[in-house]
Amino acid sequence: MRSTGSFSLESCLYTLDVLPSEWDILWLSTALKLLLFPAYRSTDFEVHRNWLAITHTLPISKWYFDTTSEWTLDYPPFFAYFEKLLSIPAFFIDPKIVDLNNVNYDGWSVIAYQRSTVILTELVLGVVLLRFIRGSLDPPLQRIVSASIFLHPGFLIVDHIHFQYNGFMYGILLCSILMARNGNKLASGVLFAILLNFKHIYMYLAPAYFVYLLRSFCLSPTGQVQIKNFLSLANAVIAVFVVSLGPFVLMGQIPQLLSRLFPFTRGLNHAYWAPNFWALVTAADRVFLKYAQYTGLTIPINESGVSSSSRGLVGDTIFAVLPNVKPIHTFIITLAFQTVWLIKLWRNPSYKSFLTALTLCGWTSFLFGWHVHEKAVLLVLIPLSLLAAERQAYFRTFVLASVAGIFSLFPLIFTPAESVIKVIYSVLWLAFVYIPLSRRVYEYPKSLSYVIMDFFEKLYLAGFTVLLLFVSVFPLLQHRSGESIRTDTCVPSDAFSCAKPEASQAQFSAGPSTMEFLPLMVTSVYCSIGLVWSFMRLGFIYLHEESTYQGQLSQVK
């Protein structure tokens, strides 16, 4: 299970003996992705096409200054270098793809090319998942888990329909986790540093990496500093950042680069509320406001907060009744929760402890962070998948979080044909994962309290059927009642903001037309309940792990 030696990616990328069933999964999934080429694509598709044009047309000194298009480059340098590499074959396939002034180009050549790059780069994820199987304690069980990750509906929705490169980057993350499992902690740290320079959202996971590598690699079990290990890790990580940021340091562009990576002017919630704790708080504020308006209750109401957070707008979130939340508040809450997990990780720096703390750190940032995007739920769902087969307690947490998290991504895809695909695919995926894993790990509830909890969790899961029916039928009912509402409700992406409604629609209670966003709000709130509860579940499991929830991963030190 352990391997030593110098840092290389051999253990991730050398030739594999792939089984026929594994080839079948690859070919079938690829065929589906090819069929999705003409499917709906979000504005993120044009964002990435424009980044191809920026990195191909302009010198590096202008990459983070260009404003030819509104889709400016706002990812770290390694991703910009990645786009530069992709732009080279793009130019030979169709020069219009990398024409900086050819805004919103949607020729078949660019569609086929960009969709293909997502499929090809996602093979990194596939290779790493095969390596997880080959070195696991229970290969048949790990094969189910690996297949569930490779076929994850989140990747299908976000990457192959909506359009991003998450599969590729999660491949790097999982390779880093694999190195930790295999005992090559230097490689694990270097890979995570590389990942941070591809996409800075992975900073959510950085505290767990810092504590784990410091405690298990840079310090001996007795607490003595391992000078050689410390210097090796420090120098390797610094080298990664020098390669990434060095050119921009020399050009004096770090302030400009940081201003692109961290736009602090955004509000507490994203336009479509991410299913986190603040979605529940925002919804509660709306409920209190409506109650005060209907009953005439004399409580202080912030007039500027009456229309805020009610229509899916990008901007600051102002509460009407509850105290407003500032960035420092979200930081303190996130830090407090993460500290609990990190203390446990410091005391028990095993692989399983690291994997659980890593998941909880990402989960904490997702639930309590400032202006979190709904797609960030993959930071929770993907690492959590590696724990799914550990014991029944982990498996139930995985099921609850996966159903809530995947359903929370459904509003990203609102066109009729793709909506059918996302639902059917997600249901089939859940059945494919649930049936074999539940047979291996299911345990009967041990007490009345567990029986009650089991009942309400199953009731919550059944509620998604009702929720799906509601969000599907509600727009049709509005049309039939004479409302002039589009069924293709605008859901903003990372780079796209929906048009602001007319002033007459600004009030949440102004009229029935403002109910257009009700399905989004209900989806966000209902999914938030499941994700918050699952978070509490995993936190309890982690803090009581040694005495109660032992499984196969506990044998990996």
Side-chain angles (χ1 to χ4, degrees), residues 483-554:
E483 289 294 324
S484 179
I485 304 259
R486 291 170 53 201
T487 56
D488 55 336
T489 302
C490 173
V491 180
S493 68
D494 290 354
F496 177 68
S497 303
C498 293
K500 187 173 182 179
E502 298 298 328
S504 61
Q505 297 180 352
Q507 299 291 332
F508 182 78
S509 57
S513 65
T514 61
M515 301 299 282
E516 176 185 0
F517 287 92
L518 182 61
L520 289 177
M521 186 181 75
V522 173
T523 297
S524 179
V525 170
Y526 195 77
C527 293
S528 298
I529 294 171
L531 286 167
V532 170
W533 171 247
S534 303
F535 169 76
M536 295 167 60
R537 250 181 154 274
L538 185 62
F540 176 84
I541 293 169
Y542 184 48
L543 296 178
H544 296 80
E545 169 183 45
E546 271 104 9
S547 60
T548 311
Y549 300 107
Q550 292 292 319
Q552 60 167 332
L553 294 181
S554 301

Side-chain angles (χ1 to χ4, degrees), residues 101-116:
N101 297 308
N102 194 20
V103 179
N104 295 322
Y105 181 52
D106 61 353
W108 180 244
S109 59
V110 67
I111 294 172
Y113 178 72
Q114 291 197 186
R115 294 285 197 193
S116 298

Side-chain angles (χ1 to χ4, degrees), residues 62-232:
K62 297 182 179 180
W63 286 0
Y64 288 95
F65 285 90
D66 179 72
T67 57
T68 304
S69 166
E70 60 183 309
W71 316 127
T72 54
L73 181 60
D74 58 5
Y75 273 26
F78 274 2
F79 200 90
Y81 302 156
F82 171 71
E83 294 278 11
K84 174 67 175 179
L85 289 175
L86 294 182
S87 73
I88 297 172
F91 173 77
F92 291 102
I93 292 172
D94 182 357
K96 293 180 181 178
I97 296 176
V98 292
D99 184 346
L100 191 59
N101 297 308
N102 194 20
V103 179
N104 295 322
Y105 181 52
D106 61 353
W108 180 244
S109 59
V110 67
I111 294 172
Y113 178 72
Q114 291 197 186
R115 294 285 197 193
S116 298
T117 60
V118 174
I119 294 175
L120 291 173
T121 56
E122 194 179 54
L123 292 177
V124 173
L125 175 66
V127 171
V128 174
L129 290 171
L130 287 176
R131 293 307 313 148
F132 266 99
I133 298 171
R134 301 300 183 263
S136 67
L137 296 170
D138 189 342
L141 200 60
Q142 181 60 49
R143 183 170 289 108
I144 299 171
V145 173
S146 290
S148 74
I149 295 175
F150 189 72
L151 300 173
H152 202 284
F155 292 138
L156 187 83
I157 293 170
V158 179
D159 285 5
H160 299 285
I161 301 179
H162 184 274
F163 194 83
Q164 282 190 359
Y165 289 92
N166 289 286
F168 166 62
M169 287 183 284
Y170 277 96
I172 300 175
L173 173 63
L174 291 180
C175 193
S176 174
I177 294 173
L178 176 64
M179 292 297 100
R181 190 195 73 174
N182 292 348
N184 195 341
K185 295 167 186 175
L186 175 60
S188 178
V190 171
L191 283 166
F192 183 69
I194 291 171
L195 182 62
L196 282 178
N197 284 278
F198 268 97
K199 193 171 184 179
H200 48 303
I201 194 174
Y202 295 99
M203 289 173 55
Y204 289 172
L205 309 178
Y209 267 94
F210 176 79
V211 170
Y212 175 67
L213 293 174
L214 177 64
R215 184 67 182 87
S216 66
F217 184 68
C218 298
L219 298 178
S220 69
T222 59
Q224 294 181 328
V225 178
Q226 303 280 357
I227 300 296
K228 180 181 178 181
N229 288 352
F230 177 80
L231 291 178
S232 298

